[in-house]
Amino acid sequence: MTVGIPAGGFSLSIGDDGKINSSLTLHVRFDVCPTWIELSLQHLATATEAGARRQAAWAGTDEEAKSAALEREFESSMQAVMAAAIALDAFYAMIQPHVVLPPTLVERWRTGRTARFSQVTEIVRRAFRLKPKGTAALRANLKEIYRVRDLAVHPSGKIEAPIYHPELDVGVEWRFAYFCASNAELIVNGATWILWDLCHGGKPADAKVLEYIGNLKQRLIALFPNGHPSAATAVSPP
């Protein structure tokens, strides 16, 4: 939570009796981005444990145990992916008001229904004055993160053929192939790396954005006391 004093929120005066009178108004702002980062890490830890139990179950012959283990891994992995994507949305929401976009671009986004990852990429590019190489890497990561997020939010209702699961060496329902512990780790690490990298190396043009990432940086350091586990430049689930 950030505490601030709005314009005109503090007054000081001396009364006729010589006493000092003062009033103070405080405004607060809750940044939900660190909360979603923490939730993504919690769900990833659960997914990792579920993945280990799934491996143990699939080493046996109990078909019900195999099915149940897949479901548990799927549920935790999907929640980890969703939390990571929401953390990026929350970050976007905090910096977007400080980026001025041309009205023609805003209209083009509205009428063309521009993909979410493209909008987030452009806002971050402008806010942090990213160079083409950095923008391309950011766009590639965001595209993959939001693609998998969309599979959880807007899954296809079609009946489809099984998808090969490389860890099990069998065909499974598509959701088990996409939402597994290893893919959840890729998505969570990819999303949190974007935020870690921007907070540690970003050069925002706006003073408010600079102040914000300074605060977020401290939260990230608390969540990753040993540094970020991944410096990956691409996120590539199946």
Side-chain angles (χ1 to χ4, degrees), residues 2-7 27 29 31 91-99 127-129 198-199 202-217:
T2 302
V3 180
I5 302 175
H27 284 183
R29 178 186 66 198
D31 177 18
F91 179 79
Y92 166 88
M94 295 297 290
I95 66 174
Q96 188 272 336
H98 306 292
V99 176
F128 291 87
R129 298 176 289 188
L198 289 172
C199 288
K203 297 178 175 59
D206 186 271
K208 291 293 185 181
V209 176
L210 180 62
E211 177 187 1
Y212 170 64
I213 66 169
N215 294 329
L216 181 59
K217 178 180 178 180

PDB file of all heavy atoms in Angstrom, residues 2-7 27 29 31 91-99 127-129 198-199 202-217:
ATOM      1  N   THR A   2       0.528   2.207  -0.852  1.00  0.00           N
ATOM      2  CA  THR A   2       1.242   3.474  -0.935  1.00  0.00           C
ATOM      3  C   THR A   2       0.389   4.571  -0.321  1.00  0.00           C
ATOM      4  O   THR A   2      -0.806   4.661  -0.596  1.00  0.00           O
ATOM      5  CB  THR A   2       1.550   3.844  -2.401  1.00  0.00           C
ATOM      6  OG1 THR A   2       2.327   2.799  -2.978  1.00  0.00           O
ATOM      7  CG2 THR A   2       2.319   5.152  -2.482  1.00  0.00           C
ATOM      8  N   VAL A   3       0.995   5.381   0.505  1.00  0.00           N
ATOM      9  CA  VAL A   3       0.294   6.484   1.166  1.00  0.00           C
ATOM     10  C   VAL A   3       0.784   7.802   0.577  1.00  0.00           C
ATOM     11  O   VAL A   3       1.991   7.998   0.390  1.00  0.00           O
ATOM     12  CB  VAL A   3       0.536   6.472   2.690  1.00  0.00           C
ATOM     13  CG1 VAL A   3      -0.205   7.637   3.353  1.00  0.00           C
ATOM     14  CG2 VAL A   3       0.095   5.149   3.286  1.00  0.00           C
ATOM     15  N   GLY A   4      -0.157   8.702   0.266  1.00  0.00           N
ATOM     16  CA  GLY A   4       0.211   9.992  -0.293  1.00  0.00           C
ATOM     17  C   GLY A   4      -0.692  11.094   0.224  1.00  0.00           C
ATOM     18  O   GLY A   4      -1.771  10.846   0.745  1.00  0.00           O
ATOM     19  N   ILE A   5      -0.217  12.314   0.081  1.00  0.00           N
ATOM     20  CA  ILE A   5      -1.001  13.489   0.466  1.00  0.00           C
ATOM     21  C   ILE A   5      -1.472  14.175  -0.804  1.00  0.00           C
ATOM     22  O   ILE A   5      -0.645  14.611  -1.616  1.00  0.00           O
ATOM     23  CB  ILE A   5      -0.170  14.470   1.317  1.00  0.00           C
ATOM     24  CG1 ILE A   5       0.355  13.779   2.583  1.00  0.00           C
ATOM     25  CG2 ILE A   5      -0.991  15.690   1.697  1.00  0.00           C
ATOM     26  CD1 ILE A   5       1.286  14.648   3.408  1.00  0.00           C
ATOM     27  N   PRO A   6      -2.772  14.266  -1.047  1.00  0.00           N
ATOM     28  CA  PRO A   6      -3.269  14.891  -2.271  1.00  0.00           C
ATOM     29  C   PRO A   6      -3.052  16.400  -2.238  1.00  0.00           C
ATOM     30  O   PRO A   6      -2.762  16.985  -1.191  1.00  0.00           O
ATOM     31  CB  PRO A   6      -4.761  14.548  -2.253  1.00  0.00           C
ATOM     32  CG  PRO A   6      -5.091  14.441  -0.799  1.00  0.00           C
ATOM     33  CD  PRO A   6      -3.871  13.829  -0.159  1.00  0.00           C
ATOM     34  N   ALA A   7      -3.170  17.032  -3.409  1.00  0.00           N
ATOM     35  CA  ALA A   7      -3.055  18.483  -3.481  1.00  0.00           C
ATOM     36  C   ALA A   7      -4.100  19.119  -2.577  1.00  0.00           C
ATOM     37  O   ALA A   7      -5.274  18.782  -2.624  1.00  0.00           O
ATOM     38  CB  ALA A   7      -3.251  18.949  -4.932  1.00  0.00           C
ATOM     39  N   HIS A  27      -4.325   9.869   1.233  1.00  0.00           N
ATOM     40  CA  HIS A  27      -4.881   8.950   0.254  1.00  0.00           C
ATOM     41  C   HIS A  27      -3.994   7.711   0.216  1.00  0.00           C
ATOM     42  O   HIS A  27      -2.780   7.789   0.412  1.00  0.00           O
ATOM     43  CB  HIS A  27      -4.929   9.597  -1.133  1.00  0.00           C
ATOM     44  CG  HIS A  27      -6.033  10.593  -1.289  1.00  0.00           C
ATOM     45  ND1 HIS A  27      -6.297  11.243  -2.472  1.00  0.00           N
ATOM     46  CD2 HIS A  27      -6.953  11.040  -0.397  1.00  0.00           C
ATOM     47  CE1 HIS A  27      -7.327  12.059  -2.320  1.00  0.00           C
ATOM     48  NE2 HIS A  27      -7.740  11.955  -1.067  1.00  0.00           N
ATOM     49  N   ARG A  29      -3.162   3.832  -1.834  1.00  0.00           N
ATOM     50  CA  ARG A  29      -3.294   3.070  -3.071  1.00  0.00           C
ATOM     51  C   ARG A  29      -2.783   1.663  -2.822  1.00  0.00           C
ATOM     52  O   ARG A  29      -1.684   1.472  -2.309  1.00  0.00           O
ATOM     53  CB  ARG A  29      -2.474   3.718  -4.188  1.00  0.00           C
ATOM     54  CG  ARG A  29      -2.527   2.950  -5.516  1.00  0.00           C
ATOM     55  CD  ARG A  29      -1.585   3.574  -6.532  1.00  0.00           C
ATOM     56  NE  ARG A  29      -0.189   3.419  -6.125  1.00  0.00           N
ATOM     57  CZ  ARG A  29       0.820   4.133  -6.608  1.00  0.00           C
ATOM     58  NH1 ARG A  29       0.582   5.086  -7.488  1.00  0.00           N
ATOM     59  NH2 ARG A  29       2.068   3.913  -6.192  1.00  0.00           N
ATOM     60  N   ASP A  31      -1.515  -1.731  -4.373  1.00  0.00           N
ATOM     61  CA  ASP A  31      -0.954  -2.325  -5.576  1.00  0.00           C
ATOM     62  C   ASP A  31      -1.116  -3.836  -5.483  1.00  0.00           C
ATOM     63  O   ASP A  31      -0.486  -4.496  -4.657  1.00  0.00           O
ATOM     64  CB  ASP A  31       0.525  -1.943  -5.706  1.00  0.00           C
ATOM     65  CG  ASP A  31       1.181  -2.595  -6.912  1.00  0.00           C
ATOM     66  OD1 ASP A  31       0.439  -3.049  -7.806  1.00  0.00           O
ATOM     67  OD2 ASP A  31       2.419  -2.639  -6.962  1.00  0.00           O
ATOM     68  N   PHE A  91       0.395  -4.837 -13.206  1.00  0.00           N
ATOM     69  CA  PHE A  91       1.535  -3.963 -13.488  1.00  0.00           C
ATOM     70  C   PHE A  91       1.177  -2.977 -14.592  1.00  0.00           C
ATOM     71  O   PHE A  91       1.450  -1.776 -14.493  1.00  0.00           O
ATOM     72  CB  PHE A  91       2.738  -4.816 -13.894  1.00  0.00           C
ATOM     73  CG  PHE A  91       3.976  -4.032 -14.230  1.00  0.00           C
ATOM     74  CD1 PHE A  91       4.783  -3.532 -13.230  1.00  0.00           C
ATOM     75  CD2 PHE A  91       4.326  -3.804 -15.549  1.00  0.00           C
ATOM     76  CE1 PHE A  91       5.937  -2.810 -13.534  1.00  0.00           C
ATOM     77  CE2 PHE A  91       5.473  -3.081 -15.871  1.00  0.00           C
ATOM     78  CZ  PHE A  91       6.272  -2.578 -14.858  1.00  0.00           C
ATOM     79  N   TYR A  92       0.573  -3.487 -15.642  1.00  0.00           N
ATOM     80  CA  TYR A  92       0.122  -2.650 -16.757  1.00  0.00           C
ATOM     81  C   TYR A  92      -0.827  -1.551 -16.273  1.00  0.00           C
ATOM     82  O   TYR A  92      -0.712  -0.390 -16.673  1.00  0.00           O
ATOM     83  CB  TYR A  92      -0.562  -3.542 -17.795  1.00  0.00           C
ATOM     84  CG  TYR A  92      -1.375  -2.827 -18.839  1.00  0.00           C
ATOM     85  CD1 TYR A  92      -0.785  -2.368 -20.016  1.00  0.00           C
ATOM     86  CD2 TYR A  92      -2.742  -2.645 -18.670  1.00  0.00           C
ATOM     87  CE1 TYR A  92      -1.529  -1.730 -20.987  1.00  0.00           C
ATOM     88  CE2 TYR A  92      -3.502  -2.009 -19.634  1.00  0.00           C
ATOM     89  CZ  TYR A  92      -2.895  -1.553 -20.793  1.00  0.00           C
ATOM     90  OH  TYR A  92      -3.647  -0.917 -21.754  1.00  0.00           O
ATOM     91  N   ALA A  93      -1.758  -1.925 -15.399  1.00  0.00           N
ATOM     92  CA  ALA A  93      -2.737  -0.967 -14.894  1.00  0.00           C
ATOM     93  C   ALA A  93      -2.084   0.158 -14.090  1.00  0.00           C
ATOM     94  O   ALA A  93      -2.580   1.290 -14.081  1.00  0.00           O
ATOM     95  CB  ALA A  93      -3.771  -1.685 -14.027  1.00  0.00           C
ATOM     96  N   MET A  94      -0.960  -0.143 -13.448  1.00  0.00           N
ATOM     97  CA  MET A  94      -0.288   0.868 -12.639  1.00  0.00           C
ATOM     98  C   MET A  94       0.501   1.861 -13.483  1.00  0.00           C
ATOM     99  O   MET A  94       0.633   3.033 -13.124  1.00  0.00           O
ATOM    100  CB  MET A  94       0.640   0.194 -11.626  1.00  0.00           C
ATOM    101  CG  MET A  94      -0.083  -0.638 -10.581  1.00  0.00           C
ATOM    102  SD  MET A  94      -1.198   0.320  -9.521  1.00  0.00           S
ATOM    103  CE  MET A  94      -0.012   1.252  -8.569  1.00  0.00           C
ATOM    104  N   ILE A  95       1.042   1.413 -14.614  1.00  0.00           N
ATOM    105  CA  ILE A  95       1.877   2.314 -15.411  1.00  0.00           C
ATOM    106  C   ILE A  95       1.117   2.949 -16.575  1.00  0.00           C
ATOM    107  O   ILE A  95       1.530   4.006 -17.076  1.00  0.00           O
ATOM    108  CB  ILE A  95       3.129   1.590 -15.944  1.00  0.00           C
ATOM    109  CG1 ILE A  95       2.756   0.493 -16.945  1.00  0.00           C
ATOM    110  CG2 ILE A  95       3.946   1.031 -14.797  1.00  0.00           C
ATOM    111  CD1 ILE A  95       3.965  -0.141 -17.612  1.00  0.00           C
ATOM    112  N   GLN A  96       0.012   2.336 -17.002  1.00  0.00           N
ATOM    113  CA  GLN A  96      -0.714   2.833 -18.167  1.00  0.00           C
ATOM    114  C   GLN A  96      -1.170   4.290 -18.039  1.00  0.00           C
ATOM    115  O   GLN A  96      -1.070   5.053 -19.012  1.00  0.00           O
ATOM    116  CB  GLN A  96      -1.909   1.914 -18.446  1.00  0.00           C
ATOM    117  CG  GLN A  96      -2.641   2.202 -19.742  1.00  0.00           C
ATOM    118  CD  GLN A  96      -3.725   3.244 -19.568  1.00  0.00           C
ATOM    119  OE1 GLN A  96      -4.225   3.433 -18.451  1.00  0.00           O
ATOM    120  NE2 GLN A  96      -4.085   3.921 -20.641  1.00  0.00           N
ATOM    121  N   PRO A  97      -1.639   4.744 -16.860  1.00  0.00           N
ATOM    122  CA  PRO A  97      -2.075   6.136 -16.754  1.00  0.00           C
ATOM    123  C   PRO A  97      -0.952   7.153 -16.975  1.00  0.00           C
ATOM    124  O   PRO A  97      -1.233   8.330 -17.218  1.00  0.00           O
ATOM    125  CB  PRO A  97      -2.616   6.228 -15.316  1.00  0.00           C
ATOM    126  CG  PRO A  97      -2.972   4.827 -14.956  1.00  0.00           C
ATOM    127  CD  PRO A  97      -1.937   3.989 -15.625  1.00  0.00           C
ATOM    128  N   HIS A  98       0.285   6.717 -16.903  1.00  0.00           N
ATOM    129  CA  HIS A  98       1.420   7.629 -17.034  1.00  0.00           C
ATOM    130  C   HIS A  98       2.056   7.587 -18.437  1.00  0.00           C
ATOM    131  O   HIS A  98       3.129   8.142 -18.636  1.00  0.00           O
ATOM    132  CB  HIS A  98       2.476   7.287 -15.979  1.00  0.00           C
ATOM    133  CG  HIS A  98       1.933   7.253 -14.587  1.00  0.00           C
ATOM    134  ND1 HIS A  98       1.487   8.384 -13.937  1.00  0.00           N
ATOM    135  CD2 HIS A  98       1.724   6.208 -13.733  1.00  0.00           C
ATOM    136  CE1 HIS A  98       1.034   8.044 -12.734  1.00  0.00           C
ATOM    137  NE2 HIS A  98       1.179   6.735 -12.594  1.00  0.00           N
ATOM    138  N   VAL A  99       1.380   6.918 -19.349  1.00  0.00           N
ATOM    139  CA  VAL A  99       1.854   6.833 -20.730  1.00  0.00           C
ATOM    140  C   VAL A  99       0.835   7.514 -21.641  1.00  0.00           C
ATOM    141  O   VAL A  99      -0.347   7.165 -21.615  1.00  0.00           O
ATOM    142  CB  VAL A  99       2.053   5.370 -21.169  1.00  0.00           C
ATOM    143  CG1 VAL A  99       2.450   5.297 -22.641  1.00  0.00           C
ATOM    144  CG2 VAL A  99       3.106   4.693 -20.302  1.00  0.00           C
ATOM    145  N   ALA A 127       6.715   3.342 -21.796  1.00  0.00           N
ATOM    146  CA  ALA A 127       6.994   3.731 -20.412  1.00  0.00           C
ATOM    147  C   ALA A 127       8.473   3.585 -20.077  1.00  0.00           C
ATOM    148  O   ALA A 127       9.036   4.390 -19.328  1.00  0.00           O
ATOM    149  CB  ALA A 127       6.152   2.896 -19.446  1.00  0.00           C
ATOM    150  N   PHE A 128       9.119   2.557 -20.642  1.00  0.00           N
ATOM    151  CA  PHE A 128      10.520   2.267 -20.294  1.00  0.00           C
ATOM    152  C   PHE A 128      11.487   2.553 -21.442  1.00  0.00           C
ATOM    153  O   PHE A 128      12.655   2.218 -21.344  1.00  0.00           O
ATOM    154  CB  PHE A 128      10.652   0.813 -19.838  1.00  0.00           C
ATOM    155  CG  PHE A 128       9.998   0.536 -18.521  1.00  0.00           C
ATOM    156  CD1 PHE A 128       8.660   0.191 -18.450  1.00  0.00           C
ATOM    157  CD2 PHE A 128      10.711   0.652 -17.334  1.00  0.00           C
ATOM    158  CE1 PHE A 128       8.041  -0.047 -17.237  1.00  0.00           C
ATOM    159  CE2 PHE A 128      10.102   0.408 -16.112  1.00  0.00           C
ATOM    160  CZ  PHE A 128       8.764   0.058 -16.064  1.00  0.00           C
ATOM    161  N   ARG A 129      10.980   3.134 -22.508  1.00  0.00           N
ATOM    162  CA  ARG A 129      11.815   3.515 -23.658  1.00  0.00           C
ATOM    163  C   ARG A 129      12.664   2.341 -24.139  1.00  0.00           C
ATOM    164  O   ARG A 129      13.892   2.452 -24.321  1.00  0.00           O
ATOM    165  CB  ARG A 129      12.693   4.717 -23.289  1.00  0.00           C
ATOM    166  CG  ARG A 129      11.901   5.968 -22.940  1.00  0.00           C
ATOM    167  CD  ARG A 129      12.787   7.103 -22.490  1.00  0.00           C
ATOM    168  NE  ARG A 129      13.352   6.864 -21.178  1.00  0.00           N
ATOM    169  CZ  ARG A 129      14.045   7.770 -20.465  1.00  0.00           C
ATOM    170  NH1 ARG A 129      14.231   8.980 -20.971  1.00  0.00           N
ATOM    171  NH2 ARG A 129      14.541   7.487 -19.280  1.00  0.00           N
ATOM    172  N   LEU A 198      12.445  -5.281 -15.504  1.00  0.00           N
ATOM    173  CA  LEU A 198      12.034  -3.883 -15.630  1.00  0.00           C
ATOM    174  C   LEU A 198      12.338  -3.099 -14.356  1.00  0.00           C
ATOM    175  O   LEU A 198      12.746  -1.940 -14.414  1.00  0.00           O
ATOM    176  CB  LEU A 198      10.546  -3.801 -15.964  1.00  0.00           C
ATOM    177  CG  LEU A 198      10.137  -4.244 -17.372  1.00  0.00           C
ATOM    178  CD1 LEU A 198       8.616  -4.292 -17.491  1.00  0.00           C
ATOM    179  CD2 LEU A 198      10.717  -3.310 -18.425  1.00  0.00           C
ATOM    180  N   CYS A 199      12.123  -3.733 -13.209  1.00  0.00           N
ATOM    181  CA  CYS A 199      12.364  -3.042 -11.934  1.00  0.00           C
ATOM    182  C   CYS A 199      13.852  -2.858 -11.648  1.00  0.00           C
ATOM    183  O   CYS A 199      14.250  -1.889 -10.994  1.00  0.00           O
ATOM    184  CB  CYS A 199      11.705  -3.809 -10.787  1.00  0.00           C
ATOM    185  SG  CYS A 199       9.901  -3.690 -10.759  1.00  0.00           S
ATOM    186  N   GLY A 202      15.155  -1.221 -15.767  1.00  0.00           N
ATOM    187  CA  GLY A 202      14.341  -0.313 -16.567  1.00  0.00           C
ATOM    188  C   GLY A 202      14.680   1.149 -16.319  1.00  0.00           C
ATOM    189  O   GLY A 202      15.098   1.528 -15.229  1.00  0.00           O
ATOM    190  N   LYS A 203      14.486   1.957 -17.351  1.00  0.00           N
ATOM    191  CA  LYS A 203      14.739   3.401 -17.264  1.00  0.00           C
ATOM    192  C   LYS A 203      13.486   4.148 -17.690  1.00  0.00           C
ATOM    193  O   LYS A 203      13.398   4.649 -18.820  1.00  0.00           O
ATOM    194  CB  LYS A 203      15.938   3.785 -18.129  1.00  0.00           C
ATOM    195  CG  LYS A 203      17.249   3.150 -17.693  1.00  0.00           C
ATOM    196  CD  LYS A 203      18.384   3.540 -18.623  1.00  0.00           C
ATOM    197  CE  LYS A 203      19.724   3.001 -18.112  1.00  0.00           C
ATOM    198  NZ  LYS A 203      19.731   1.537 -17.986  1.00  0.00           N
ATOM    199  N   PRO A 204      12.502   4.209 -16.799  1.00  0.00           N
ATOM    200  CA  PRO A 204      11.234   4.861 -17.165  1.00  0.00           C
ATOM    201  C   PRO A 204      11.394   6.361 -17.380  1.00  0.00           C
ATOM    202  O   PRO A 204      12.215   7.011 -16.725  1.00  0.00           O
ATOM    203  CB  PRO A 204      10.329   4.556 -15.975  1.00  0.00           C
ATOM    204  CG  PRO A 204      11.256   4.329 -14.829  1.00  0.00           C
ATOM    205  CD  PRO A 204      12.471   3.679 -15.432  1.00  0.00           C
ATOM    206  N   ALA A 205      10.585   6.892 -18.286  1.00  0.00           N
ATOM    207  CA  ALA A 205      10.634   8.319 -18.585  1.00  0.00           C
ATOM    208  C   ALA A 205       9.858   9.137 -17.575  1.00  0.00           C
ATOM    209  O   ALA A 205      10.145  10.317 -17.360  1.00  0.00           O
ATOM    210  CB  ALA A 205      10.087   8.568 -19.998  1.00  0.00           C
ATOM    211  N   ASP A 206       8.864   8.526 -16.939  1.00  0.00           N
ATOM    212  CA  ASP A 206       7.984   9.250 -16.026  1.00  0.00           C
ATOM    213  C   ASP A 206       8.419   9.055 -14.571  1.00  0.00           C
ATOM    214  O   ASP A 206       8.747   7.939 -14.153  1.00  0.00           O
ATOM    215  CB  ASP A 206       6.540   8.775 -16.205  1.00  0.00           C
ATOM    216  CG  ASP A 206       5.556   9.592 -15.396  1.00  0.00           C
ATOM    217  OD1 ASP A 206       5.306   9.218 -14.223  1.00  0.00           O
ATOM    218  OD2 ASP A 206       5.040  10.587 -15.918  1.00  0.00           O
ATOM    219  N   ALA A 207       8.391  10.140 -13.793  1.00  0.00           N
ATOM    220  CA  ALA A 207       8.820  10.079 -12.397  1.00  0.00           C
ATOM    221  C   ALA A 207       7.919   9.167 -11.567  1.00  0.00           C
ATOM    222  O   ALA A 207       8.389   8.471 -10.651  1.00  0.00           O
ATOM    223  CB  ALA A 207       8.856  11.477 -11.793  1.00  0.00           C
ATOM    224  N   LYS A 208       6.623   9.160 -11.869  1.00  0.00           N
ATOM    225  CA  LYS A 208       5.691   8.317 -11.124  1.00  0.00           C
ATOM    226  C   LYS A 208       5.970   6.834 -11.376  1.00  0.00           C
ATOM    227  O   LYS A 208       5.875   6.015 -10.462  1.00  0.00           O
ATOM    228  CB  LYS A 208       4.252   8.653 -11.509  1.00  0.00           C
ATOM    229  CG  LYS A 208       3.785  10.022 -11.043  1.00  0.00           C
ATOM    230  CD  LYS A 208       3.689  10.088  -9.530  1.00  0.00           C
ATOM    231  CE  LYS A 208       3.103  11.418  -9.073  1.00  0.00           C
ATOM    232  NZ  LYS A 208       3.024  11.508  -7.581  1.00  0.00           N
ATOM    233  N   VAL A 209       6.282   6.499 -12.616  1.00  0.00           N
ATOM    234  CA  VAL A 209       6.622   5.106 -12.935  1.00  0.00           C
ATOM    235  C   VAL A 209       7.917   4.715 -12.241  1.00  0.00           C
ATOM    236  O   VAL A 209       8.054   3.610 -11.710  1.00  0.00           O
ATOM    237  CB  VAL A 209       6.733   4.906 -14.451  1.00  0.00           C
ATOM    238  CG1 VAL A 209       7.186   3.478 -14.779  1.00  0.00           C
ATOM    239  CG2 VAL A 209       5.406   5.200 -15.137  1.00  0.00           C
ATOM    240  N   LEU A 210       8.887   5.623 -12.215  1.00  0.00           N
ATOM    241  CA  LEU A 210      10.157   5.360 -11.538  1.00  0.00           C
ATOM    242  C   LEU A 210       9.925   5.105 -10.052  1.00  0.00           C
ATOM    243  O   LEU A 210      10.516   4.182  -9.468  1.00  0.00           O
ATOM    244  CB  LEU A 210      11.098   6.549 -11.722  1.00  0.00           C
ATOM    245  CG  LEU A 210      12.484   6.429 -11.067  1.00  0.00           C
ATOM    246  CD1 LEU A 210      13.255   5.253 -11.660  1.00  0.00           C
ATOM    247  CD2 LEU A 210      13.265   7.726 -11.235  1.00  0.00           C
ATOM    248  N   GLU A 211       9.072   5.906  -9.447  1.00  0.00           N
ATOM    249  CA  GLU A 211       8.751   5.709  -8.024  1.00  0.00           C
ATOM    250  C   GLU A 211       8.068   4.365  -7.809  1.00  0.00           C
ATOM    251  O   GLU A 211       8.385   3.638  -6.848  1.00  0.00           O
ATOM    252  CB  GLU A 211       7.842   6.840  -7.549  1.00  0.00           C
ATOM    253  CG  GLU A 211       7.399   6.695  -6.102  1.00  0.00           C
ATOM    254  CD  GLU A 211       6.368   7.740  -5.690  1.00  0.00           C
ATOM    255  OE1 GLU A 211       5.980   8.568  -6.551  1.00  0.00           O
ATOM    256  OE2 GLU A 211       5.936   7.729  -4.524  1.00  0.00           O
ATOM    257  N   TYR A 212       7.146   4.033  -8.711  1.00  0.00           N
ATOM    258  CA  TYR A 212       6.405   2.780  -8.569  1.00  0.00           C
ATOM    259  C   TYR A 212       7.312   1.561  -8.656  1.00  0.00           C
ATOM    260  O   TYR A 212       7.235   0.656  -7.821  1.00  0.00           O
ATOM    261  CB  TYR A 212       5.308   2.683  -9.626  1.00  0.00           C
ATOM    262  CG  TYR A 212       4.675   1.316  -9.680  1.00  0.00           C
ATOM    263  CD1 TYR A 212       3.960   0.819  -8.588  1.00  0.00           C
ATOM    264  CD2 TYR A 212       4.833   0.495 -10.791  1.00  0.00           C
ATOM    265  CE1 TYR A 212       3.406  -0.451  -8.616  1.00  0.00           C
ATOM    266  CE2 TYR A 212       4.285  -0.775 -10.825  1.00  0.00           C
ATOM    267  CZ  TYR A 212       3.572  -1.242  -9.735  1.00  0.00           C
ATOM    268  OH  TYR A 212       3.028  -2.504  -9.761  1.00  0.00           O
ATOM    269  N   ILE A 213       8.181   1.518  -9.672  1.00  0.00           N
ATOM    270  CA  ILE A 213       9.034   0.332  -9.806  1.00  0.00           C
ATOM    271  C   ILE A 213      10.060   0.250  -8.682  1.00  0.00           C
ATOM    272  O   ILE A 213      10.534  -0.833  -8.346  1.00  0.00           O
ATOM    273  CB  ILE A 213       9.723   0.271 -11.185  1.00  0.00           C
ATOM    274  CG1 ILE A 213      10.711   1.421 -11.362  1.00  0.00           C
ATOM    275  CG2 ILE A 213       8.698   0.218 -12.302  1.00  0.00           C
ATOM    276  CD1 ILE A 213      11.596   1.242 -12.593  1.00  0.00           C
ATOM    277  N   GLY A 214      10.388   1.389  -8.074  1.00  0.00           N
ATOM    278  CA  GLY A 214      11.275   1.350  -6.917  1.00  0.00           C
ATOM    279  C   GLY A 214      10.627   0.612  -5.763  1.00  0.00           C
ATOM    280  O   GLY A 214      11.274  -0.197  -5.072  1.00  0.00           O
ATOM    281  N   ASN A 215       9.331   0.867  -5.550  1.00  0.00           N
ATOM    282  CA  ASN A 215       8.592   0.164  -4.501  1.00  0.00           C
ATOM    283  C   ASN A 215       8.386  -1.303  -4.850  1.00  0.00           C
ATOM    284  O   ASN A 215       8.541  -2.195  -4.001  1.00  0.00           O
ATOM    285  CB  ASN A 215       7.240   0.838  -4.274  1.00  0.00           C
ATOM    286  CG  ASN A 215       7.377   2.240  -3.697  1.00  0.00           C
ATOM    287  OD1 ASN A 215       8.310   2.523  -2.957  1.00  0.00           O
ATOM    288  ND2 ASN A 215       6.457   3.124  -4.041  1.00  0.00           N
ATOM    289  N   LEU A 216       8.033  -1.563  -6.118  1.00  0.00           N
ATOM    290  CA  LEU A 216       7.808  -2.947  -6.534  1.00  0.00           C
ATOM    291  C   LEU A 216       9.096  -3.754  -6.454  1.00  0.00           C
ATOM    292  O   LEU A 216       9.074  -4.945  -6.116  1.00  0.00           O
ATOM    293  CB  LEU A 216       7.252  -2.966  -7.961  1.00  0.00           C
ATOM    294  CG  LEU A 216       6.937  -4.344  -8.546  1.00  0.00           C
ATOM    295  CD1 LEU A 216       5.917  -5.083  -7.681  1.00  0.00           C
ATOM    296  CD2 LEU A 216       6.423  -4.212  -9.977  1.00  0.00           C
ATOM    297  N   LYS A 217      10.212  -3.132  -6.748  1.00  0.00           N
ATOM    298  CA  LYS A 217      11.506  -3.812  -6.686  1.00  0.00           C
ATOM    299  C   LYS A 217      11.758  -4.389  -5.300  1.00  0.00           C
ATOM    300  O   LYS A 217      12.237  -5.522  -5.162  1.00  0.00           O
ATOM    301  CB  LYS A 217      12.624  -2.844  -7.072  1.00  0.00           C
ATOM    302  CG  LYS A 217      14.020  -3.441  -6.999  1.00  0.00           C
ATOM    303  CD  LYS A 217      15.065  -2.407  -7.399  1.00  0.00           C
ATOM    304  CE  LYS A 217      16.477  -2.962  -7.289  1.00  0.00           C
ATOM    305  NZ  LYS A 217      17.494  -1.951  -7.672  1.00  0.00           N
TER     306      LYS A 217
END
